Amino acid sequence: MQKSGNISFGRIASIIGAVLIFVGAAWLVADNWSFFPKWLKIIVLLVSTSASYIFGHLLKQKNYTAAGRALLALGSLLVVLTLFQLSQIFNLPTSLSHYTLLLLISWIFITATAYLLDSKESLFISMVLFFFWTLIGYVSSTSEFAEPNFFFGHGFVAIFACAALLFYGSTMFHKSLSHQFENIYKFWGAFYVLALFYLLSFQIILGAFSFADFNTEIFTVFLSVFIAVSIIAFGILVFLTSRKSKLSKKELGIFLGILAVGLIFVFSANVFPPSSSAPGYCYEKSCYDFKTESECNTSPPNANCLWKPSLDNSGFACEFYSCYENSDEESCTSAPEKFNCVWEDTYCTQTLRAPADISQCYNFESEENCLVSDSCVWQTSSFDLFNLKNVNLSFKIFWLFSNLVFIGLILLVIWYGSQMGSTKIVNLGIGAFVLEIATRYIGFWIDYKGYFAFSILAILGGALIIALSWLVPKWRSRLINETKKHAR
Amino acid sequence: MQGNRNLYFLIALFLLIVVVFILYYAWPFITGKTFVLATTPIDPYDPFRGQYLKIRYEISSLTSQEFSEGEKIYVSLEEDSQGVWRETGVSKSKPSGDFIRGKVSDVSGDRVFVIYGLEQFFFERGAEVPTENITVEIKVTSSGRAALSQLLQNGEQVKINYLSEESD
């Protein structure tokens, strides 16, 4: 917070005073927010956002760099808040497509802020928004045709790979300009590559890739435009970098090779199916299992199903019908006959029927026997299907190999970070390593149930935590020191 | 100074975005005609934006075989003796008389489910909102775009109680 090196008591006291006034004012505003008229809410947001940018910029100009940077970051966060608050004030839709629009506007504006006001923190915030924008945008673009079990895996892989391309290209370009944003793009490029391989380190996702047919339906307008723009932008950025004769072809080749390995994993997954038969369980159909109007209307009377507008306001669905929904005698007596609704003085109720034998479905242990009965449905259990205890050997080896590749990639990222003098990338690699260990450990807990597995995993987990808590900080501090040496 | 010019440009751009946003969504309030619609409200919670009322209208589910998912639909409206506006017909192009524009989100046999962008009404945290005998006052522009104006209970504006109000 200081300009040169010395900081006086008076200055510290004035900063504490200013912070206290700000906290007090913010508390007052927050406590009374619901009583503010709409126009006052908008003014509060506009003034606080503009003030954050103005004071942040002024403080940076006067060499109060840390405080200035913090205020610029605050301004960028307030931009996001303003847009979300405005959509609340105008009661705008809660749909994913609306959130996609809000995130897109925020991302573009905050990226512009980062460049125009030279704010690294704003660029970081815009990168976080970009991450959510791509994922939410893609999911929202599939909503018109996606069935409840639609597999998003191929789309997410495409998004991670294209975002990695885009940010690696940006890294090279900013490096050729000796621009300070190079390191942020480098961090996010590494993040997307790690995210891609982290996704492939789950046996449930690898298994899903082996079952899910790759079809052109995944290429929604959003995804197609995103892929096209990313590839074109990458090409332009590589071209511009090569014109400055600062393109490392070897590094570029390794990067593209890593992405190719990820794609090979995805497309070779169906060579290693996890098992020949799908484990699952048999249960009595509920209303949601009747997918069409005719199925719903002919459902067993005991299921009490009615085809009507769905609770989430997205369309029609087969939903549970209760006679209590009818608040007057007229609607009660005109309810469909199969529900047996009767008016009892002040409320609508259902006359009792003989209970259905719902236990029979749970007794069927195979899909074949289950589907003999019209009232039963077979549910494949993903957790059982991809459980390490149930999958065959070739799939286990495939999954193990993908994890070894992920760990190899983590080590490569850590090495790259230390060579480039980037402590952030080294920390990202170490974080990914700890995440990999924790994820696999939790995975074993889920897969291997029972007291014996519990005790073995608890002992192993305890030993692992002790070892990691001792080794990781040492490893990290040695790497960070080496990285700082390289940076010098 | 270049830095200051950038700052002024950004602030102006931010204000422009907010003004365009407000003008676009406030346009029905400025130019629109008032209608009252019958509803079936339910009460969910949005993780991003807090407490709100999800509203289904009488005109959310309509009978027609001409439409497919994603299509624009114009719904003609006529006021009944209680001041509530009811559907009198649907069409693919602007009808004469009073109407509202929506988008078909689902088709099932001869029924279509329509969304109008009026399906949610937000409150601050801790609101106690009645959900019975609710109608909704809306404003509709000449193009049919609608905005939610206020909730009515038995024809009167809904009074929202906040829990903090009671505790004070």
Side-chain angles (χ1 to χ4, degrees):
Chain A
M1 191 66 199
Q2 87 256 40
K3 224 171 181 177
S4 47
N6 299 324
I7 189 159
S8 67
F9 171 76
R11 192 176 289 171
I12 293 173
S14 63
I15 292 166
I16 292 173
V19 169
L20 273 175
I21 292 169
F22 172 77
V23 169
W27 199 283
L28 266 179
V29 169
D31 204 34
N32 293 290
W33 190 249
S34 52
F35 308 117
F36 282 19
K38 287 174 182 176
W39 61 267
L40 188 57
K41 286 179 185 171
I42 294 170
I43 287 176
V44 167
L45 286 166
L46 289 182
V47 169
S48 52
T49 308
S50 305
S52 297
Y53 277 142
I54 291 167
F55 286 114
H57 182 67
L58 290 177
L59 285 171
K60 259 184 88 178
Q61 274 186 338
K62 294 189 182 303
N63 284 340
Y64 294 103
T65 316
R69 283 166 55 177
L71 278 177
L72 289 179
L74 176 66
S76 295
L77 290 172
L78 285 171
V79 167
V80 185
L81 186 69
T82 304
L83 291 176
F84 273 78
Q85 183 65 47
L86 280 175
S87 66
Q88 182 173 333
I89 287 171
F90 287 101
N91 297 305
L92 300 184
T94 52
S95 60
L96 288 180
S97 58
H98 182 66
Y99 291 134
T100 307
L101 176 70
L102 293 183
L103 288 170
L104 177 66
I105 297 172
S106 313
W107 169 58
I108 292 172
F109 182 81
I110 295 170
T111 305
T113 304
Y115 280 91
L116 291 172
L117 298 184
D118 212 11
S119 164
K120 281 198 278 192
E121 290 71 21
S122 293
L123 187 65
F124 193 87
I125 292 167
S126 88
M127 294 287 106
V128 174
L129 292 173
F130 178 85
F131 177 73
F132 288 109
W133 171 68
T134 51
L135 298 187
I136 294 177
Y138 176 58
V139 174
S140 133
S141 70
T142 63
S143 62
E144 277 191 11
F145 60 82
E147 293 295 317
N149 56 355
F150 182 81
F151 181 57
F152 292 100
H154 293 105
F156 285 166
V157 163
I159 285 172
F160 289 160
C162 287
L165 269 185
L166 192 62
F167 294 131
Y168 180 69
S170 304
T171 306
M172 287 192 301
F173 179 64
H174 284 78
K175 187 179 178 185
S176 73
L177 298 174
S178 302
H179 196 286
Q180 59 158 338
F181 288 169
E182 175 204 342
N183 282 331
I184 296 175
Y185 286 118
K186 199 182 280 172
F187 174 89
W188 282 94
F191 171 84
Y192 280 105
V193 173
L194 287 172
L196 171 64
F197 280 86
Y198 180 62
L199 203 65
L200 297 175
S201 73
F202 286 87
Q203 78 254 28
I204 194 165
I205 292 175
L206 273 183
F209 274 119
S210 74
F211 278 112
D213 290 329
F214 180 79
N215 59 47
T216 51
E217 229 179 28
I218 69 149
F219 291 105
T220 60
V221 175
F222 178 90
L223 187 63
S224 306
V225 171
F226 182 74
I227 292 172
V229 168
S230 302
I231 291 173
I232 292 168
F234 176 71
I236 293 170
L237 291 166
V238 167
F239 173 71
L240 291 175
T241 310
S242 66
R243 277 184 58 185
K244 289 183 179 290
S245 309
K246 288 189 174 176
L247 182 70
S248 165
K249 286 181 183 158
K250 192 177 160 190
E251 191 186 302
L252 177 64
I254 291 171
F255 174 77
L256 292 176
I258 290 169
L259 287 188
V261 169
L263 297 182
I264 288 169
F265 262 106
V266 171
F267 289 107
S268 58
N270 56 5
V271 180
F272 306 98
S275 62
S276 48
S277 63
Y281 52 92
C282 189
Y283 69 93
E284 194 201 20
K285 280 180 179 173
S286 72
C287 296
Y288 288 106
D289 293 309
F290 302 106
K291 302 291 180 198
T292 64
E293 187 169 3
S294 62
E295 277 181 28
C296 185
N297 291 340
T298 53
S299 61
N302 276 302
N304 282 334
C305 299
L306 182 68
W307 188 255
K308 59 180 180 174
S310 61
L311 279 175
D312 65 356
N313 260 2
S314 63
F316 298 101
C318 191
E319 295 196 346
F320 184 79
Y321 179 84
S322 165
C323 292
Y324 291 104
E325 289 173 23
N326 303 300
S327 54
D328 56 65
E329 188 170 359
E330 190 187 343
S331 58
C332 182
T333 48
S334 60
E337 200 180 329
K338 70 172 182 175
F339 299 117
N340 292 351
C341 294
V342 287
W343 185 253
E344 297 273 1
D345 294 334
T346 54
Y347 62 94
C348 188
T349 185
Q350 191 173 38
T351 51
L352 287 175
R353 294 198 194 97
D357 181 16
I358 59 165
S359 60
Q360 56 157 347
C361 297
Y362 296 100
N363 295 331
F364 298 127
E365 288 183 354
S366 74
E367 186 174 2
E368 200 182 2
N369 292 338
C370 176
L371 296 180
V372 169
S373 168
D374 282 344
S375 58
C376 300
V377 64
W378 181 259
Q379 174 67 51
T380 305
S381 163
S382 299
F383 276 108
D384 289 333
L385 178 59
F386 304 124
N387 190 311
L388 278 183
K389 282 194 298 190
N390 300 333
V391 296
N392 57 35
L393 184 65
S394 65
F395 180 79
K396 268 183 198 159
I397 293 170
F398 182 55
W399 169 76
L400 197 66
F401 186 59
S402 85
N403 275 273
L404 288 175
V405 169
F406 182 46
I407 290 171
L409 183 70
I410 290 171
L411 294 175
L412 188 67
V413 165
I414 292 172
W415 174 81
Y416 179 73
S418 66
Q419 292 299 304
M420 293 289 136
S422 170
T423 53
K424 287 192 176 72
I425 291 186
V426 171
N427 282 329
L428 177 71
I430 292 170
F433 180 73
V434 173
L435 186 66
E436 160 74 354
I437 300 286
T439 309
R440 297 293 77 85
Y441 183 67
I442 293 166
F444 287 135
W445 272 103
I446 293 169
D447 289 350
Y448 294 95
K449 300 177 184 95
Y451 288 117
F452 181 70
F454 175 87
S455 54
I456 295 292
L457 282 168
I459 293 165
L460 278 177
L464 201 64
I465 288 171
I466 292 168
L468 285 178
S469 65
W470 183 66
L471 279 173
V472 171
K474 275 187 145 188
W475 181 40
R476 184 176 167 272
S477 87
R478 189 164 57 82
L479 278 168
I480 296 290
N481 287 336
E482 277 176 20
T483 306
K484 282 179 179 164
K485 270 185 213 161
H486 274 110
R488 281 187 214 120
Chain B
M1 263 175 78
Q2 181 64 35
N4 286 347
R5 272 208 296 272
N6 287 348
L7 176 70
Y8 302 145
F9 170 73
L10 265 180
I11 302 276
L13 182 65
F14 174 62
L15 294 178
L16 182 73
I17 289 172
V18 171
V19 168
V20 169
F21 199 98
I22 291 172
L23 265 184
Y24 180 77
Y25 289 110
W27 198 245
F29 297 113
I30 301 165
T31 65
K33 181 177 175 178
T34 304
F35 296 85
V36 174
L37 300 176
T39 69
T40 320
I42 38 180
D43 194 5
Y45 183 84
D46 178 63
F48 286 103
R49 294 192 288 171
Q51 193 180 351
Y52 72 106
L53 200 67
K54 191 168 251 187
I55 306 165
R56 188 185 305 143
Y57 295 88
E58 200 177 79
I59 56 169
S60 296
S61 174
L62 301 169
T63 306
S64 174
Q65 291 182 319
E66 296 168 36
F67 293 89
S68 53
E69 245 178 80
E71 263 191 299
K72 257 186 207 168
I73 181 168
Y74 291 91
V75 180
S76 297
L77 299 170
E78 203 173 281
E79 195 174 12
D80 69 7
S81 56
Q82 289 155 343
V84 175
W85 291 73
R86 313 273 180 193
E87 178 247 336
T88 55
V90 294
S91 61
K92 290 190 178 190
S93 55
K94 271 189 198 176
S96 56
D98 295 310
F99 64 91
I100 181 173
R101 190 181 70 203
K103 186 180 164 190
V104 175
S105 74
D106 195 13
V107 178
S108 174
D110 64 347
R111 284 194 291 170
V112 290
F113 195 84
V114 184
I115 47 173
Y116 300 92
L118 307 167
E119 287 76 13
Q120 53 287 315
F121 187 79
F122 283 87
F123 316 103
E124 299 305 333
R125 198 169 47 178
E128 282 186 326
V129 189
T131 53
E132 284 183 4
N133 300 329
I134 294 289
T135 50
V136 169
E137 185 186 287
I138 61 164
K139 298 273 186 181
V140 184
T141 63
S142 56
S143 67
R145 190 160 67 86
L148 200 156
S149 172
Q150 59 177 335
L151 290 188
L152 307 172
Q153 188 178 33
N154 302 320
E156 299 291 321
Q157 185 179 358
V158 163
K159 170 97 173 74
I160 299 167
N161 293 317
Y162 289 96
L163 295 177
S164 56
E165 214 173 13
E166 286 171 3
S167 60
D168 285 343

